[in-house]
């Protein structure tokens, strides 16, 4: 092997190692900062697949942060009262309007309509309500999410619930090769829930609320794979990245809220 090839191999190995270690450190920091909450911290709707006869919710991931109440109240239109429902609307708009999700929505807009814009983030006049003309569920961030449930929609409501359906072709492909022995397969749907606790007093610091960001992955039920709890899902390293990204979304929204208050 030539010296040039060895040098190139050494550079590639170093870059890969540094990148992998940096990602691991970043994920570890987020995991320590935002430990997972139990599934019961989310609503029943979050844990229920859209097609319960053919799908299962393999896992839910719920993360929380405590922020000053005034930081969230600052996002409520001045004409409205600071009720729990309005706090939930404000938190949902803060998450969907965060720089991270706006960038993701803008990239999707560039790919689908050649316009680098996030489009609807829930801050329009219609908010998260169904389309006034067709009655169809509102679509957000250029189709990245579709609204499944409004805040305070029912007794089980735990904030805004949105979903994202994955394309059938890649899912079906991985289901096919999974039958041949491939150890993993893709989910059918990803759901996100954005909720807010009742305000509470924090000694020496004032009134706070706990804001949460939750994710759930629904998979098709494949009878030949046996028990539901042992059926194939995405690999562990991919799942860790998914969870890290959910924590990053929460962290991004919280930081932006806090920066606005500090200005």
């Amino acid at each position: 092997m030539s010296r040039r090839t060895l040098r190139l191999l050494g550079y590639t190995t170093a870059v890969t190692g540094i990148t992998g270690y940096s990602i691991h450190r970043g994920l570890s920091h987020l995991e320590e900062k935002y430990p997972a909450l139990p599934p019961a911290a989310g609503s029943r709707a979050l844990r229920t697949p859209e097609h319960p006869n053919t799908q299962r919710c393999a896992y839910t991931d719920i993360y929380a942060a405590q922020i000053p109440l005034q930081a969230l109240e600052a996002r409520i239109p001045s004409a409205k009262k600071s009720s729990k429902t309005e706090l939930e609307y404000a938190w949902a708009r803060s998450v969907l309007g965060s720089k991270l999700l706006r960038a993701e929505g803008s990239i999707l807009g560039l790919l689908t309509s050649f316009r680098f814009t996030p489009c609807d983030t829930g801050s329009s006049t219609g908010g998260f309500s169904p389309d006034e003309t067709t009655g169809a569920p509102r679509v957000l961030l250029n189709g990245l999410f579709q609204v499944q449930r409004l805040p305070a929609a029912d007794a089980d409501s735990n904030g805004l619930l949105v979903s994202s359906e994955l394309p059938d072709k890649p899912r079906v492909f991985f289901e096919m090769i999974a039958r041949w022995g491939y150890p993993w397969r893709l989910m059918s749907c990803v759901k996100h829930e954005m909720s807010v606790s009742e305000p509470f007093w924090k000694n020496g610091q004032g009134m706070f609320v706990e804001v949460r960001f939750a994710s759930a992955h629904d998979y098709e039920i494949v009878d030949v794979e046996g028990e539901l709890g042992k059926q194939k899902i995405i690999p562990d390293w991919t799942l860790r990245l998914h969870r890290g990204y959910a924590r990053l979304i929460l962290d991004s929204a919280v930081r932006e809220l806090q920066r606005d208050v500090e200005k």
Side-chain angles (χ1 to χ4, degrees), residues 76 81-91 150-153 196:
I76 298 176
K81 295 180 179 179
S82 180
S83 64
K84 185 173 185 296
T85 299
E86 288 302 327
L87 290 173
E88 289 179 343
Y89 271 97
W91 172 236
L150 298 173
V196 182

Side-chain angles (χ1 to χ4, degrees), residues 44-90:
R44 191 181 301 109
L46 176 69
R47 306 188 298 271
T48 303
E50 186 175 353
H51 306 289
N53 292 330
T54 59
Q55 296 176 344
R56 69 186 183 101
C57 179
Y59 43 82
T60 59
D61 303 305
I62 306 172
Y63 311 110
Q66 294 182 359
I67 62 172
L69 175 60
Q70 64 173 356
L72 201 52
E73 287 181 327
R75 296 289 180 96
I76 298 176
S78 57
K80 296 185 178 181
K81 295 180 179 179
S82 180
S83 64
K84 185 173 185 296
T85 299
E86 288 302 327
L87 290 173
E88 289 179 343
Y89 271 97

Side-chain angles (χ1 to χ4, degrees), residues 16-235:
T16 303
I18 292 171
T19 302
Y21 179 73
S22 299
I23 292 173
H24 168 70
R25 290 283 297 174
L27 291 173
S28 297
H29 169 72
L30 289 169
E31 288 162 355
E32 183 178 354
K33 189 174 182 179
Y34 303 112
L37 299 179
S43 70
R44 191 181 301 109
L46 176 69
R47 306 188 298 271
T48 303
E50 186 175 353
H51 306 289
N53 292 330
T54 59
Q55 296 176 344
R56 69 186 183 101
C57 179
Y59 43 82
T60 59
D61 303 305
I62 306 172
Y63 311 110
Q66 294 182 359
I67 62 172
L69 175 60
Q70 64 173 356
L72 201 52
E73 287 181 327
R75 296 289 180 96
I76 298 176
S78 57
K80 296 185 178 181
K81 295 180 179 179
S82 180
S83 64
K84 185 173 185 296
T85 299
E86 288 302 327
L87 290 173
E88 289 179 343
Y89 271 97
W91 172 236
R93 288 192 298 266
S94 298
V95 173
L96 296 169
S98 65
K99 291 181 179 178
L100 196 60
L101 285 184
R102 286 179 65 89
E104 190 173 346
S106 296
I107 292 171
L108 186 58
L110 186 62
L111 295 174
T112 56
S113 60
F114 305 103
R115 294 187 306 160
F116 191 74
T117 172
C119 201
D120 194 349
T121 61
S123 297
S124 62
T125 305
F128 303 116
S129 301
D131 186 277
E132 294 180 358
T133 305
T134 64
R138 187 166 294 274
V139 174
L140 305 168
L141 295 168
N142 285 307
L144 184 63
F145 299 129
Q146 178 176 284
V147 175
Q148 296 294 314
R149 185 200 63 212
L150 298 173
D154 52 51
D156 180 52
S157 181
N158 212 13
L160 181 72
L161 181 66
V162 298
S163 67
S164 180
E165 297 283 341
L166 272 71
D168 284 335
K169 286 186 178 180
R171 174 186 60 79
V172 171
F173 171 76
F174 278 99
E175 285 178 3
M176 179 183 66
I177 62 175
R179 290 188 176 93
W180 298 342
Y182 189 73
W184 306 293
R185 57 188 176 91
L186 294 179
M187 69 289 289
S188 302
C189 175
V190 179
K191 289 178 291 188
H192 295 297
E193 188 172 71
M194 290 145 266
S195 60
V196 182
S197 72
E198 293 286 351
F200 59 90
W201 176 260
K202 201 168 182 179
N203 288 341
Q205 300 183 59
M207 296 299 292
F208 275 67
V209 288
E210 182 176 88
V211 291
R212 295 176 181 175
F213 183 74
S215 300
H217 288 178
D218 295 338
Y219 288 79
E220 298 298 311
I221 297 173
V222 179
D223 293 332
V224 295
E225 292 184 7
E227 299 177 29
L228 294 184
K230 296 181 179 179
Q231 294 198 3
K232 296 175 181 179
I233 58 173
I234 56 177

